[in-house]
Amino acid sequence: MVAEPITVVIADDHAPMRAVARRGLEAGGCRVVGEAATADEAVALVVEHRPNVALLDIHMPGNGIRAADDISRSVPTTAIVMLTQSREDDDLFDSLRAGAVGYLLKDAPPQSLADTLRGVLAGEAAMPSALVTRILDEFRGPARRRFGRGSPAAAKLSTREWEVMDLLRQGNSTDDVAGRLFLSPTTVRVHVSSVLRKLAVRDRASAFRLLEE
């Protein structure tokens, strides 16, 4: 019996890149069931077609990491693989947290895509060795100082408030935190105001000191 071809949705706002990926996949025996240029289009196509794999660019309109998170929740049977130019640690780790099971760079040979996706569906890791090393270093290295969730101050906060303050403490700007947590900057500020009120302090620095105790 001939195996069914792997079905794929490709999402990238750069049409020539989608064309290159499509040619590589189809040459390798995969079937592309949809192409998207934005995160919202990608999610809609995956929900409609329920492909074996969603191949997502990170920096497309609407944010590919957000699309990965939405897809992992709504269609958990679809394997998510990022196809990106980004070698940034934040993009890599945020993609994995959002449910991606592979992280491929766009300079990889397109003719290798089909075999890579077959490996993903067989349970293999799909990631350049240099990025695998970064992940290992993250786990082996000294733990980044984080707020203790068991502190009396932290116990007063919601999970989202704690996440906002933890990211701010690490040096992220309000806009950075908004992007990481898929919130608006205004919502981040509302969370901070709520934290200051709950902890009865006037500024973030005072809140950080309490949360570090």
Side-chain angles (χ1 to χ4, degrees), residues 56-59 82-86 103-107:
L56 308 178
D57 179 35
I58 288 180
H59 297 298
M82 313 310 287
L83 182 63
T84 179
Q85 292 179 334
S86 175
Y103 194 96
L104 306 178
L105 300 175
K106 288 184 178 179
D107 56 8

Side-chain angles (χ1 to χ4, degrees), residues 58-135:
I58 288 180
H59 297 298
M60 61 180 165
N63 193 305
I65 295 173
R66 181 182 67 79
D69 187 64
D70 288 349
I71 290 168
S72 67
R73 295 172 188 274
S74 56
V75 192
T77 55
T78 292
I80 301 165
V81 176
M82 313 310 287
L83 182 63
T84 179
Q85 292 179 334
S86 175
R87 299 173 184 267
E88 296 295 324
D89 287 354
D90 282 350
D91 285 338
L92 169 61
F93 292 118
D94 285 349
S95 295
L96 297 177
R97 292 187 190 102
V101 294
Y103 194 96
L104 306 178
L105 300 175
K106 288 184 178 179
D107 56 8
Q111 60 269 24
S112 68
L113 269 177
D115 284 342
T116 298
L117 297 191
R118 288 190 184 92
V120 167
L121 295 177
E124 298 174 7
M127 193 174 300
S129 57
L131 297 185
V132 173
T133 300
R134 289 189 194 178
I135 293 174

Side-chain angles (χ1 to χ4, degrees), residues 102-180:
Y103 194 96
L104 306 178
L105 300 175
K106 288 184 178 179
D107 56 8
Q111 60 269 24
S112 68
L113 269 177
D115 284 342
T116 298
L117 297 191
R118 288 190 184 92
V120 167
L121 295 177
E124 298 174 7
M127 193 174 300
S129 57
L131 297 185
V132 173
T133 300
R134 289 189 194 178
I135 293 174
L136 294 176
D137 288 343
E138 177 76 6
F139 282 97
R140 290 171 178 162
R144 178 184 294 168
R145 187 179 186 187
R146 298 176 66 89
F147 294 143
R149 289 306 305 269
S151 71
K156 298 178 181 180
L157 309 186
S158 70
T159 298
R160 181 61 85 194
E161 289 167 347
W162 182 88
E163 290 172 340
V164 165
M165 296 304 290
D166 192 38
L167 288 171
L168 289 170
R169 172 64 179 80
Q170 293 173 31
N172 293 285
S173 69
T174 296
D175 287 344
D176 291 337
V177 174
R180 293 279 295 273

Side-chain angles (χ1 to χ4, degrees), residues 190-202:
V190 169
H191 283 310
V192 172
S193 295
S194 176
V195 170
L196 298 184
R197 185 176 64 255
K198 288 180 178 181
L199 300 184
V201 294
R202 292 186 175 183

